């Protein structure tokens, strides 16, 4: 039995943060029904990356919304709203990411819904929380990366602010939502009442920076300083970073220079003997290391360094990793199939329970694909 | 009532991935007992960033391990180990991140532990999973970023590999572990049975790239190509990126190029009428945009684009962010106090429950600070 079997989730969320939480709940065994606007459906159906579409919906939409059902409803139509309320009576979780005030207008705000079903766990995703001057700003990943200071942590010293090249804020927010929803379900197991779980992209992105923010709060408010070249973490000492070799790259994690330097057939200059200097003189030290690493192939360095238990690695592309035995042995990918019979290869849930990997071949639904079935099943 | 009150977590893990998971459980209300080696404790205590120490331990250790208790035990010592087993008999959750094989030698593997306590939820984090050619490789954040293809997503096309400047792999695998543990606790509240929950840093960071890996599978395995400038997502079209302005930077998320052209008064942009061109000719479009946006201030552009509902934002560092009302209204900071009276400022849990923020004033434990009390309390 998958851990969340028997739980019913109604997902009013669109785009990435909320639906990624719904996907995780689905993969862990819950039944997830997307509540979507008739015909158009949720926003990310039309949001493509690399212009790739599967059917009427984009490949990204399919990636995030597999293993779910779709119920089409116009929340402004009283009949449809009534059906939704009936469905909410038997649901365990609902999630939405409407901007503050919208659910109140529709009549599906927490107060109203918890009166209908006091056991329901109600999840909300916002951009910036529901008060304050940014409450109505669009909560989009890159914008939150830009506003939260995050873009000053990646890239090297002379680069412009460098965003992380994935929807990191969305995904972290979705993870926090999942955590909050599940924690509230555990509490419900004891108290028999539901609860309200709220996350925001900004709070989640600040939490993501908790280590460096805690350092910043307590180091007299110093600012992150990225290394001159090959930066991998603004706050970590040399050799931490990526170096060019004769035929590629090598990544070096934290390793005492006193261990590393002799392995490179060098002598550590007096000026770099103290561990403090490894941070203070980071750029100079990394310059020296760069001049050494460039002289041999990556594999040659790995042979020398791995034998001495130094934390280092090659730098792989998708082709390198996805064709590697270390990837294949994970059995991380799976084939899913939509109702037209189209097959898509995607990844599976990363969590293994009781040594079992979870697969599910159900692809994302078309808008309203399950409406009739759900109407019958729940007598709506 | 915090949702996880009266749940007892015994945490054998160190560094970031495992301890970040137990921090989240602690903030949601669980009691977390951190098991540490005599004398040295969690290695993270001495993993200083930018040479900053707080009350003798590293700032990152404090950020990750507040709100926990510390119990000292040498797991290789039979007597100490049997004390830990006794503690585990009373626990709801155990967490560890030893390399595969080590935990078996210690006699604290799932099989043994679940015999002691069949209700236990047993969480483990490995670097690369329990099988395959990399199972004994060190599971360190930068190495995982480098091996998983992630470093080709951030930065610009000619930058070489650019890592994300935070321990993203640790944080995400820790977050997945929390999801799995909580899901298993939900099931336990129904079935009364425990579970083994396993995540690996490699599976977690592949899951994090589910959109782009699914795209790689769909496009026939084409290489990842970032834009020549202003890259924020290798698989998205223009304008997605951060642009220099006269006095700072401006972030632009998805938007229609001709509409942007008209609003900004940049005629050249209005010629890109075909939606596909926004991806296919993104380098060219970004060049036009970056030249144009450099001619005036961020505020000027925001004052045009925001009223037109274009997804855009200023780009802030922490100093500017922390001065905004939007940051202050979140109350994201909290002060915590250690057993010896030392106080420091850190961030709080990003999840709100029932409209409340979750705070805890309990600071970081000194090494073994709670050993005696715990021995007495649990009769160890």
């Amino acid at each position: 039995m998958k851990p969340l079997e028997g739980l019913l989730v109604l997902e009013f969320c669109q785009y990435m943060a909320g639906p990624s939480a719904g996907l995780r709940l689905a993969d862990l065994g819950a039944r997830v029904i997307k509540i979507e606007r008739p015909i158009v459906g949720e926003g990310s159906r039309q949001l493509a990356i690399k212009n790739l579409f599967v059917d009427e919906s984009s490949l990204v939409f399919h990636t995030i919304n597999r293993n779910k059902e779709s119920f089409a409803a116009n929340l402004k139509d009283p009949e449809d709203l009534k059906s939704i309320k009936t469905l909410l009576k038997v649901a365990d979780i609902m999630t939405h990411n409407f901007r503050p005030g919208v659910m109140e207008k529709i009549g599906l705000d927490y107060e109203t819904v918890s009166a209908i079903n006091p056991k329901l766990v109600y999840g909300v995703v916002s951009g910036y929380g529901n008060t304050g001057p940014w409450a109505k700003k669009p909560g989009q990943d890159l914008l939150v990366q830009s506003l939260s200071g995050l873009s000053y942590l990646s890239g090297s010293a002379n680069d412009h602010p460098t965003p992380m090249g994935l929807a990191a804020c969305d995904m972290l927010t979705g993870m926090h939502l999942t955590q909050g929803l599940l924690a509230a379900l555990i509490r419900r197991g004891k108290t028999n009442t539901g609860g309200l779980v709220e996350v925001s992209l900004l709070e989640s992105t600040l939490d993501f920076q908790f280590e460096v923010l805690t350092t910043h709060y307590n180091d007299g408010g110093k600012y992150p300083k990225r290394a001159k070249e090959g930066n991998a973490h603004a706050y970590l000492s040399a050799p931490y970073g990526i170096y060019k070799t004769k035929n590629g790259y090598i990544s070096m994690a934290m390793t005492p220079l006193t261990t590393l330097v002799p392995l490179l057939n060098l002598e550590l200059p007096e000026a770099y003997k103290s561990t403090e200097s490894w941070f203070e003189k980071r750029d100079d030290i990394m310059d020296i290391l760069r001049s050494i690493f460039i002289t041999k192939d990556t594999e040659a360095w790995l042979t020398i360094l791995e034998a001495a238990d130094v934390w280092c690695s090659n730098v792989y592309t998708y082709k390198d990793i996805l064709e590697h035995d270390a990837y294949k042995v994970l059995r991380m990918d799976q084939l899913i199939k939509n109702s037209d019979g189209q097959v898509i290869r995607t990844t599976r849930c990363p969590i293994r329970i009781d040594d079992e990997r979870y697969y599910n071949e159900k692809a994302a639904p078309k808008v309203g694909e399950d409406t009739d079935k759900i109407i019958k099943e729940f007598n709506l | 009532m915090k949702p996880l009150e009266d749940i007892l977590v015994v945490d054998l893990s160190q560094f970031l991935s495992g301890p970040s998971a137990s921090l989240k459980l602690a903030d949601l209300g669980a009691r977390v007992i951190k098991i540490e080696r005599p004398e040295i404790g969690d290695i993270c205590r001495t993993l200083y960033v930018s040479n900053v120490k707080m009350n003798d331990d590293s700032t990152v250790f404090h950020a990750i391990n507040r709100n926990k208790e510390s119990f000292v035990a040498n797991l290789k010592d039979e007597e100490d180990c049997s004390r830990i087993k006794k503690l585990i008999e009373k626990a709801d959750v155990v967490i560890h991140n030893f390399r595969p094989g080590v935990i078996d030698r210690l006699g604290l593997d799932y099989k043994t532990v679940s015999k002691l306590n069949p209700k236990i939820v047993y969480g483990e984090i490995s670097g690369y999973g329990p099988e395959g050619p990399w199972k004994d490789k060190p599971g360190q954040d930068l190495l995982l970023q480098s091996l998983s293809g992630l470093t080709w997503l951030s930065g610009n096309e000619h930058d070489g590999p650019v890592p994300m400047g935070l321990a993203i792999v640790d944080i995400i695998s820790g977050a997945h572990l929390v999801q799995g543990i909580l899901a298993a606790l939900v099931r336990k509240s129904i079935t009364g049975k425990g579970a083994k929950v396993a995540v690996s840093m490699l599976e977690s960071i592949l899951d994090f790239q589910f959109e782009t890996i699914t795209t790689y599978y769909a496009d026939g395995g084409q290489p990842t190509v970032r834009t020549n400038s202003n890259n924020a997502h290798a698989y998205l079209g223009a304008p997605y990126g951060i642009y220099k302005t006269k006095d700072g930077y401006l972030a632009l998320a998805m938007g229609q190029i001709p509409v942007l052209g008209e609003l900004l008064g940049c005629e050249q942009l209005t010629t890109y009428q075909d939606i596909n061109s926004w991806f296919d000719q993104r380098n060219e479009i970004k060049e036009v945009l970056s030249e144009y946006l450099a001619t005036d201030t961020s505020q000027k552009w925001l004052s045009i684009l925001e009223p037109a509902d274009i997804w855009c934002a200023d780009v802030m560092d922490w100093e500017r962010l922390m001065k905004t009302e939007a940051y202050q209204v979140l109350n994201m900071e909290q002060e915590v106090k250690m057993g010896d009276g030392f106080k420091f400022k850190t961030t709080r849990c990003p999840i709100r429950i029932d409209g409340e923020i979750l705070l805890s004033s309990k600071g970081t434990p000194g090494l073994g600070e709670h050993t005696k009390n715990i021995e007495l309390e649990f009769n160890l």
Side-chain angles (χ1 to χ4, degrees):
Chain A
M1 173 192 164
K2 288 185 182 172
L4 303 184
E5 254 167 53
L7 292 175
L8 179 62
V9 180
L10 301 189
E11 177 175 285
F12 296 81
C13 285
Q14 310 198 71
Y15 298 111
M16 176 70 145
S20 70
L23 174 61
R24 185 57 35 81
L25 297 173
D27 278 346
L28 290 170
R31 177 178 180 188
V32 178
I33 301 174
K34 283 183 87 68
I35 311 296
E36 298 189 81
R37 276 180 295 182
I39 305 160
V40 205
E42 81 133 281
S44 77
R45 286 185 180 270
Q46 294 312 312
L47 196 76
I49 64 177
K50 255 189 152 180
N51 296 337
L52 290 171
F53 279 78
V54 172
D55 37 32
E56 307 81 2
S57 301
S58 69
L59 181 63
V60 184
F61 176 81
H62 276 274
T63 308
I64 309 168
N65 293 286
R66 61 176 178 77
N67 207 0
K68 300 180 186 175
E69 297 169 37
S70 171
F71 183 89
N74 174 3
L75 299 179
K76 286 174 191 152
D77 176 293
E79 278 293 304
D80 281 8
L81 189 61
K82 217 177 113 200
S83 303
I84 295 296
K85 286 187 173 171
T86 310
L87 209 45
L88 278 167
K89 277 186 196 157
V90 293
D92 299 282
I93 292 175
M94 75 164 266
T95 63
H96 81 77
N97 65 342
F98 290 106
R99 292 199 203 172
V102 173
M103 274 310 213
E104 282 75 6
K105 259 185 234 152
I106 292 171
L108 289 175
D109 52 291
Y110 177 60
E111 222 171 284
T112 312
V113 172
S114 64
I116 298 172
N117 177 358
K119 290 175 75 173
L120 187 95
V121 175
Y122 186 105
V124 184
V125 184
S126 68
Y128 311 88
N130 46 28
T131 53
W134 292 355
K136 301 226 159 147
K137 248 191 205 294
Q140 193 279 338
D141 188 87
L142 177 61
L143 309 188
V144 177
Q145 291 203 39
S146 303
L147 290 166
S148 64
L150 190 72
S151 63
Y152 286 91
L153 297 174
S154 305
S156 295
N158 296 323
D159 291 336
H160 292 177
T162 303
M164 297 184 173
L166 276 179
C169 308
D170 277 334
M171 278 185 271
L172 286 159
T173 309
M175 288 177 210
H176 292 155
L177 179 65
T178 309
Q179 295 171 347
L181 295 170
L182 292 175
L185 282 177
I186 292 166
R187 183 178 69 176
R188 184 181 81 167
K190 293 171 217 161
T191 63
N192 221 16
T193 46
L196 173 65
V197 176
E198 293 167 290
V199 295
S200 73
L201 268 70
L202 183 55
E203 284 162 290
S204 286
T205 306
L206 292 168
D207 174 72
F208 178 35
Q209 302 173 77
F210 77 128
E211 290 182 277
V212 287
L213 277 174
T214 300
T215 305
H216 173 74
Y217 294 149
N218 296 284
D219 68 1
K222 285 191 206 131
Y223 272 84
K225 227 179 124 210
R226 299 172 294 184
K228 187 175 78 178
E229 222 180 292
N231 178 68
H233 196 299
Y235 286 83
L236 287 176
S237 309
Y240 205 82
I242 297 186
Y243 299 84
K244 212 166 173 359
T245 64
K246 208 170 169 184
N247 69 339
Y249 295 91
I250 187 167
S251 284
M252 299 294 310
M254 41 303 253
T255 300
L257 288 174
T258 39
T259 309
L260 175 65
V261 166
L263 292 166
L264 306 177
N265 267 330
L266 283 178
E267 220 173 286
L268 190 61
E270 199 56 44
Y272 309 139
K273 287 239 156 98
S274 76
T275 52
E276 284 78 20
S277 71
W278 303 348
F279 184 73
E280 284 157 15
K281 303 261 160 57
R282 180 173 61 179
D283 286 342
D284 302 336
I285 297 170
M286 288 177 84
D287 272 343
I288 299 175
L289 295 176
R290 254 186 292 279
S291 71
I292 302 298
F293 280 123
I294 195 75
T295 61
K296 281 191 174 85
D297 286 352
T298 304
E299 293 72 20
W301 288 123
L302 290 174
T303 308
I304 298 168
L305 298 174
E306 283 182 342
D309 279 331
V310 169
W311 287 4
C312 56
S313 76
N314 208 326
V315 180
Y316 280 175
T317 61
Y318 280 152
K319 186 173 164 49
D320 297 328
I321 180 67
L322 299 178
E323 290 176 5
H324 199 285
D325 283 343
Y327 172 77
K328 288 181 187 154
V329 78
L330 299 175
R331 287 184 276 128
M332 189 68 199
D333 48 292
Q334 62 177 340
L335 296 175
I336 57 173
K337 204 178 184 181
N338 74 358
S339 52
D340 297 340
Q342 275 172 289
V343 173
I344 305 161
R345 182 181 294 275
T346 186
T347 52
R348 64 163 165 84
C349 177
I351 304 166
R352 303 188 200 186
I353 307 279
D354 299 328
D355 289 324
E356 206 185 315
R357 298 165 173 85
Y358 288 158
Y359 299 96
N360 196 304
E361 66 161 21
K362 189 174 162 25
K366 293 176 186 292
V367 183
E369 187 170 319
D370 306 284
T371 309
D372 290 342
K373 184 188 79 184
I374 292 166
I375 288 176
K376 273 191 205 128
E377 183 182 349
F378 293 94
N379 256 327
L380 304 179
Chain B
M1 173 188 169
K2 288 184 184 171
L4 302 184
E5 253 165 53
D6 69 39
I7 284 178
L8 177 63
V9 179
V10 174
D11 184 7
L12 305 166
S13 69
Q14 54 175 358
F15 293 119
L16 177 54
S17 60
S20 73
S22 62
L23 173 64
K24 195 60 48 61
L25 297 175
D27 280 345
L28 289 167
R31 176 180 179 186
V32 176
I33 299 177
K34 191 174 169 65
I35 311 298
E36 297 190 81
R37 279 186 293 185
E39 284 156 58
I40 310 165
D42 183 339
I43 296 175
C44 199
R45 285 184 182 269
T46 52
L47 187 78
Y48 306 115
V49 297
S50 61
N51 296 333
V52 188
K53 264 187 213 187
M54 240 164 39
N55 212 13
D56 286 335
D57 286 319
S58 80
T59 47
V60 291
F61 178 78
H62 285 291
I64 306 164
N65 293 288
R66 62 177 177 78
N67 206 3
K68 301 178 187 175
E69 297 167 40
S70 169
F71 184 94
V72 159
N74 175 3
L75 296 178
K76 288 177 189 152
D77 176 283
E78 237 172 82
E79 221 170 284
D80 275 14
C81 199
S82 70
R83 262 198 280 268
I84 297 302
K85 285 182 177 166
K86 245 174 126 180
L87 188 59
I88 289 175
E89 281 173 29
K90 309 268 170 54
D92 301 282
V93 176
V94 173
I95 295 174
H96 85 83
N97 62 354
F98 290 106
R99 288 198 209 175
V102 174
I103 199 79
D104 305 83
R105 286 199 289 280
L106 294 171
L108 290 169
D109 54 287
Y110 179 59
K111 236 187 185 170
T112 314
V113 168
S114 65
K115 267 183 209 138
L116 295 172
N117 179 355
K119 288 181 156 183
I120 200 83
V121 172
Y122 183 97
E124 71 180 20
I125 304 190
S126 64
Y128 307 85
E131 65 276 294
W134 290 353
K135 69 177 167 46
D136 297 318
K137 244 192 203 299
Q140 193 280 334
D141 190 86
L142 178 60
L143 311 188
L144 265 302
Q145 289 199 38
S146 304
L147 291 168
S148 66
L150 190 75
T151 60
W152 300 101
L153 299 174
S154 308
N156 294 324
E157 183 54 18
H158 303 294
D159 285 346
V162 175
M164 296 184 174
L166 279 178
I168 181 100
V169 190
D170 281 317
I171 287 170
I172 285 186
S173 52
H176 288 158
L177 187 69
V178 174
Q179 295 178 340
I181 287 172
L182 294 178
L185 286 171
V186 169
R187 183 174 69 178
K188 184 183 105 168
S189 67
I190 300 162
T191 65
K193 279 199 196 109
K196 179 180 173 188
V197 177
V199 301
S200 73
M201 294 169 78
L202 183 54
E203 284 161 287
S204 285
I205 200 61
L206 290 167
D207 172 72
F208 180 54
Q209 300 174 80
F210 71 147
E211 283 183 88
T212 47
I213 291 177
T214 303
T215 302
Y216 177 90
Y217 284 133
D219 70 11
Q222 287 176 34
T224 308
V225 181
R226 296 165 292 185
T227 50
N228 292 337
S229 67
N230 315 88
N231 179 64
H233 194 303
Y235 293 80
L236 284 174
Y240 208 79
I242 289 181
Y243 296 84
K244 198 164 175 25
T245 62
K246 212 171 174 180
D247 63 343
Y249 294 93
L250 177 75
L252 283 173
M254 303 81 178
Q256 303 176 26
I257 300 298
V259 173
L260 268 181
E262 258 164 52
L263 287 166
L264 298 170
C266 176
E267 215 173 294
Q268 236 182 312
L269 294 178
T270 58
T271 59
Y272 296 95
Q273 293 292 336
D274 174 16
I275 293 185
N276 291 326
S277 71
W278 309 344
F279 184 83
D280 298 336
Q281 289 165 270
R282 57 188 186 155
N283 278 324
E284 189 181 304
I285 296 172
K286 283 185 168 187
E287 213 180 297
V288 173
L289 254 176
S290 66
E291 221 167 274
Y292 193 81
L293 291 171
T295 60
D296 218 320
T297 62
S298 303
Q299 203 41 55
K300 168 74 187 296
W301 301 129
L302 288 168
S303 72
I304 297 171
L305 299 175
E306 281 189 328
D309 278 332
I310 300 292
W311 287 359
C312 58
D314 203 341
V315 180
M316 296 191 181
D317 59 16
W318 291 335
E319 184 173 11
R320 284 188 56 211
L321 170 72
M322 286 173 193
K323 283 184 188 145
T324 64
E325 192 192 337
Y327 173 80
Q328 288 160 10
V329 81
L330 296 177
N331 285 317
M332 199 61 205
E333 301 170 10
Q334 63 177 339
E335 190 178 72
V336 299
K337 192 174 167 187
M338 294 176 59
D340 63 4
F342 183 86
K343 287 181 196 165
F344 66 92
K345 204 198 297 183
T346 184
T347 51
R348 63 162 170 85
C349 179
I351 304 165
R352 298 177 191 230
I353 304 282
D354 299 334
E356 304 276 337
I357 55 176
L358 303 173
L359 299 174
S360 168
S361 59
K362 193 157 136 192
T364 326
L367 179 58
E369 183 178 334
H370 305 92
T371 310
K372 277 226 172 80
N373 282 343
I374 292 167
E375 274 175 355
L376 283 175
E377 182 184 351
F378 292 93
N379 222 343
L380 304 179

